[in-house]
Amino acid sequence: MLAPRPRIDESIDPASVSPSGPQRAWKQLGLVLLCGAWIALGLIGHDPWKTEDATTFSIATDMVQRHDIVAPILVGEPRFDHGVLVPAIAAGFERLLAPPLELHNAARLAVGVLLVLILVFASLAARELDGRAFRWLPVLILVGSVGFFDRAHALSGDLGVTLGAALALYGFALALRVPIAGGIVIGLGAAVGFLARGYALPMWVAVTSIALPIASRRWRTRAFAATMGIALPVALVLGATWPFAMYMRDANLFAHWRDAESAARYIAWLGPRADFDPTYAIKNLPWFAWPALPLVIWVFWIRGRGFNGGLASPGIVLPAVFSLVILAGLVSIANPTLTSMLPILVPLAVLAAVEVDTLSRSISGALDWFGMLTFGLLATVLWFLWADSLINSMSPAVARFFRDTEFGYRPPFQPWAVLVAVFLTLLWIALVRPARKSNRRALLNWTAGIVLVWGLFSTIWMPYLDSRRSYRSMAVALAPHLPAHGCVAARNLGDAQRALLNYFTGLVTVPDGSAAAAKCNLLIVQYGRQYPDRLRDYRTLWEGQRRGDDTEHFALYAKDGT
């Protein structure tokens, strides 16, 4: 029998370069502060922005106003595709912290809690699979992921699904050592995913539980069968609490939810989806999962050649199988989005961490220099443009570069934001200064660069971003033209726009074409870049758009004779 092949670099001891090595407490404190800064920055200090952040916040605020977390209501309509878990958590923060915080700032603190839990369970999964010395690597990879950059800071049900994926991954890993506890955690993860966004994650967990015994004999045991025997009732009991509450509250509401959870929502081929794009996730994954994906390729390159235990170890099989199952699910869903891809980053990060220490010095050095040059240059440009805009106002050339149709923006000088931005810049310089180089140090430098850029966006550049993405000024301009009584029909108005107009003005729109809309004398229409001068049989009361954005135009019309 052939002896096991040695590690590709026997001089590398993972424990010597991990936070458990020399100066353990300082290393861990530094990593905690780095991750804490990434999580905390951007949670407060800006209005709700369109898409998931706006719609989830609107549902949460409605829950607070109605004192009811059972039915997710979006501007007067039940909307089950957004789930109930994340809005319910956000509603809890609103009740606790608003005031003193504004409603949207309080609600977005739920994002911070979810991100902490995601990072914790990803770390626990890596520790269970690969050992204590690897527990921080998935955390650094996740924080440094391009896909996590700003999407992870938006209030969305997909964050709940990502947490469920992290729980399930840890549960599968724990099942090899403690089957009962593993089953409980797997069931909890499936239930969290279900309450957050429906059947997607429970389906991925079920398929993974079938695929793992096929892929590896480590899961082909009676103990794992017992694990899944425990996970199933845990998932059913916890997950069924919401549908049961709906049924007890209103049988029609339950029927509405049951009809919304169609199989075609998760497997697009079962429904009429002419615009369905099965390549969406595959096309976006290379940049979305950077730097995890290149590191995963390196893992398979090394392990596929038989080094370090080959491909049969649990630390390879479990995250690889789970990643492939999630990718297959993303390829199949009816309406894929970038935020719906967040869950796949968790198993990819755990898998990518396995062979970080065996990266050739040329590759890790290239990653290190690429990160330092990229983030150093980007930070320099961001500081220069901010200072120039503060002194001279934003020039037409810079405005065109940002696709801003209005130049002359001058950011407010906020001392606290400037101090935080300066601190993050100096911290990044201190981290990337010449020091003992290692593969883990290169990964840390990359993550520190991501945190720096995110920090600059979330401090000195936040007023500009908020002015571009917020609907507050537009809603304030529209408000005087809205009736004190009566209804307003809405045509081509997106869910996020309806939610934000409702938040800023109290306007509850009625979908155009419905029986209720026929009784409305006013009509608000959302256009793209091109729109007609006026509608037939209507007169124009108001026209407007967000600052610096020519992709959306809004017009308020009144029927002739009213």
Side-chain angles (χ1 to χ4, degrees):
M1 180 180 295
L2 294 175
R5 305 183 80 166
R7 294 190 64 88
I8 204 166
D9 185 350
E10 293 183 313
S11 66
I12 295 174
D13 177 14
S16 68
V17 288
S18 77
S20 59
Q23 300 178 328
R24 174 176 180 266
W26 288 108
K27 288 181 179 180
Q28 289 187 336
L29 178 61
L31 291 172
V32 168
L33 291 176
L34 185 71
C35 297
W38 175 77
I39 291 171
L41 292 172
L43 290 185
I44 62 175
H46 66 86
D47 288 332
W49 293 342
K50 69 175 182 179
T51 63
E52 290 289 335
D53 196 56
T55 53
T56 307
F57 164 69
S58 178
I59 293 171
T61 302
D62 181 84
M63 288 179 173
V64 173
Q65 293 171 347
R66 293 185 299 107
H67 303 283
D68 175 23
I69 63 171
V70 174
I73 305 296
L74 178 64
V75 196
E77 300 177 3
R79 292 297 300 270
F80 300 104
D81 53 334
H82 293 281
V84 71
L85 179 65
V86 176
I89 297 173
F93 277 99
E94 287 188 28
R95 291 183 64 87
L96 286 173
L97 299 174
L101 296 178
E102 292 184 273
L103 284 173
H104 53 272
N105 286 329
R108 211 179 287 111
L109 293 179
V111 173
V113 173
L114 292 170
L115 287 177
V116 168
L117 293 175
I118 290 168
L119 297 182
V120 166
F121 284 105
S123 176
L124 289 173
R127 176 174 177 170
E128 194 68 35
L129 291 170
D130 305 310
R132 180 184 178 87
F134 289 85
R135 67 193 185 282
W136 275 103
L137 290 179
V139 175
L140 292 177
I141 293 171
L142 281 172
V143 173
S145 294
V146 176
F148 249 39
F149 182 73
D150 62 336
R151 294 167 190 85
H153 288 81
L155 198 61
S156 74
D158 292 306
L159 273 183
V161 179
T162 306
L163 173 57
L167 280 164
L169 183 67
Y170 174 55
F172 280 121
L174 189 62
L176 295 175
R177 185 171 59 89
V178 191
I180 294 177
I184 294 173
V185 176
I186 293 171
L188 176 61
V192 166
F194 170 75
L195 295 174
R197 203 77 179 190
Y199 287 109
L201 184 65
M203 291 170 58
W204 299 343
V205 170
V207 173
T208 301
S209 69
I210 297 171
L212 281 175
I214 298 174
S216 172
R217 60 184 178 84
R218 295 291 301 273
W219 283 274
R220 204 178 305 143
T221 63
R222 292 182 179 179
F224 183 66
T227 295
M228 297 313 299
I230 294 170
L232 181 61
V234 170
L236 288 176
V237 171
L238 295 179
T241 55
W242 177 40
F244 180 75
M246 279 192 293
Y247 181 79
M248 296 300 294
R249 172 74 56 80
D250 186 346
N252 291 329
L253 183 67
F254 175 79
H256 191 176
W257 167 79
R258 185 184 57 199
D259 294 339
E261 292 293 332
S262 64
R265 177 182 167 190
Y266 304 102
I267 306 175
W269 291 284
L270 299 179
R273 290 286 174 181
D275 58 345
F276 169 57
D277 182 8
T279 66
Y280 181 88
I282 297 174
K283 289 187 298 186
N284 286 285
L285 192 63
W287 67 264
F288 190 84
W290 181 278
L293 198 58
L295 294 175
V296 168
I297 294 173
W298 175 259
V299 169
F300 283 105
W301 169 254
I302 294 300
R303 294 298 185 100
R305 296 161 62 197
F307 291 105
N308 306 336
L311 296 171
S313 66
I316 302 296
V317 174
L318 172 56
V321 169
F322 201 25
S323 298
L324 288 174
V325 170
I326 295 177
L327 181 59
L330 294 173
V331 167
S332 302
I333 60 176
N335 296 300
T337 62
L338 289 175
T339 54
S340 68
M341 294 175 60
L342 290 176
I344 199 173
L345 293 178
V346 174
L348 284 178
V350 174
L351 179 59
V354 175
E355 292 295 340
V356 166
D357 296 319
T358 65
L359 280 170
S360 67
R361 290 304 170 89
S362 61
I363 295 178
S364 66
L367 175 65
D368 202 9
W369 279 106
F370 176 70
M372 286 191 289
L373 290 174
T374 300
F375 297 123
L377 179 61
L378 184 56
T380 302
V381 170
L382 289 174
W383 270 112
F384 173 77
L385 292 179
W386 176 82
D388 182 63
S389 298
L390 181 67
I391 298 171
N392 303 313
S393 75
M394 184 174 288
S395 67
V398 174
R400 285 194 297 270
F401 178 78
F402 288 148
R403 297 181 181 179
D404 192 334
T405 58
E406 297 180 20
F407 60 90
Y409 174 82
R410 190 186 299 273
F413 183 81
Q414 300 174 322
W416 71 267
V418 175
L419 287 175
V420 172
V422 169
F423 172 76
L424 289 173
T425 304
L426 295 177
L427 178 63
W428 179 79
I429 294 172
L431 283 172
V432 301
R433 75 189 191 284
R436 182 175 68 88
K437 297 297 182 180
S438 70
N439 295 348
R440 296 191 178 205
R441 187 55 181 262
L443 183 59
L444 174 61
N445 288 347
W446 173 272
T447 302
I450 286 284
V451 175
L452 169 63
V453 174
W454 174 245
L456 294 180
F457 277 126
S458 303
T459 53
I460 57 176
W461 278 98
M462 181 56 75
Y464 174 73
L465 295 175
D466 197 34
S467 73
R468 286 287 312 274
R469 298 185 179 185
S470 174
Y471 285 78
R472 182 186 294 269
S473 60
M474 188 201 80
V476 169
L478 169 66
H481 303 277
L482 295 175
H485 305 284
C487 63
V488 178
R491 180 180 300 174
N492 301 328
L493 204 62
D495 285 344
Q497 287 79 1
R498 293 181 64 217
L500 293 176
L501 288 179
N502 174 249
Y503 177 51
F504 290 124
T505 69
L507 174 65
V508 178
T509 54
V510 179
D512 189 34
S514 63
K519 303 176 183 179
C520 298
N521 291 324
L522 298 185
L523 172 68
I524 185 168
V525 184
Q526 178 178 337
Y527 298 102
R529 284 190 169 90
Q530 304 295 328
Y531 63 98
D533 293 335
R534 66 184 302 272
L535 295 181
R536 181 180 300 177
D537 301 326
Y538 284 88
R539 70 180 190 278
T540 304
L541 296 181
W542 171 87
E543 294 180 24
Q545 63 193 65
R546 287 184 298 166
R547 183 208 165 273
D549 179 25
D550 65 350
T551 62
E552 295 177 353
H553 294 268
F554 300 85
L556 179 68
Y557 300 103
K559 289 181 178 178
D560 288 336
T562 60

